[in-house]
Amino acid sequence: DRVGEDTYQMAALCNNMSVALRELGQIKDAESMALQAIQIIRQMPGCETELATSYTNLGQAQARRYAYFDARQSLTHALQLFENCNGNHDIHYAAAVYGLAEMDQAEGDYEAAEQGYLRAAGLIERDFGHTEDYQQVMEDLKRMREKVKNNERD
């Protein structure tokens, strides 16, 4: 029905705005838009993958303001939602895995971060091939490995 379609489109707009605002560095507004999307989607039956995507956006925004505990909770919830719906076959699943890898690195768990980066890269490669996102994940992994190596020398 038309009302449901409009509601869905509003949630999608909120999610897209969240991503755009995060990229512009407007983190509080990005979080607010992700939370709006979550509120809308919770009212809609059968939209668990969209809810997972919204939690991924929220977690990424939280991570940008160094709220690692909140970010980890949001990203972990997103992964659980994705896995309950369709395993790791949603194209947004890799973003949640990547977000957790960034959390692990920020918290100094380099082994877990490496596993997460490799997993995210594999998912992106499976779904899209060697894209800019794939290259970004691999560059982040390389930078982290170099940082670890330099710290071991010191």
Side-chain angles (χ1 to χ4, degrees):
D1 82 356
R2 183 75 189 148
V3 173
E5 186 178 318
D6 288 347
T7 303
Y8 182 87
Q9 289 175 349
M10 180 57 75
L13 176 62
C14 289
N15 261 326
N16 290 336
M17 288 293 296
S18 175
V19 172
L21 289 164
R22 186 180 72 236
E23 293 304 312
L24 290 171
Q26 298 176 23
I27 306 307
K28 290 275 189 195
D29 292 334
E31 280 187 66
S32 177
M33 293 306 289
L35 286 168
Q36 272 188 264
I38 288 168
Q39 286 181 323
I40 294 167
I41 295 168
R42 280 188 176 152
Q43 314 288 324
M44 302 172 62
C47 291
E48 285 76 19
T49 56
E50 291 83 354
L51 187 59
T53 300
S54 299
Y55 272 103
T56 301
N57 289 338
L58 177 61
Q60 290 171 329
Q62 291 165 327
R64 289 283 293 271
R65 68 175 175 82
Y66 308 103
Y68 295 144
F69 179 81
D70 293 337
R72 184 174 292 282
Q73 280 191 313
S74 295
L75 292 165
T76 299
H77 188 57
L79 286 176
Q80 290 168 343
L81 288 167
F82 280 129
E83 289 163 2
N84 289 342
C85 294
N86 57 11
N88 66 6
H89 296 289
D90 187 276
I91 60 173
H92 299 99
Y93 183 83
V97 172
Y98 175 68
L100 280 177
E102 290 181 307
M103 293 292 89
D104 291 331
Q105 180 179 347
E107 294 173 346
D109 188 348
Y110 300 119
E111 189 173 314
E114 180 164 342
Q115 291 172 2
Y117 283 137
L118 290 171
R119 184 173 175 212
L123 291 164
I124 294 167
E125 182 180 38
R126 178 196 72 195
D127 294 337
F128 304 106
H130 285 231
T131 62
E132 285 183 31
D133 290 334
Y134 175 87
Q135 293 302 326
Q136 180 64 52
V137 173
M138 296 308 289
E139 287 173 23
D140 289 348
L141 175 60
K142 181 181 176 186
R143 263 193 303 279
M144 184 194 70
R145 285 175 172 166
E146 288 171 359
K147 178 182 175 184
V148 170
K149 189 186 290 187
N150 289 337
N151 287 345
E152 288 173 354
R153 282 189 214 145
D154 294 344

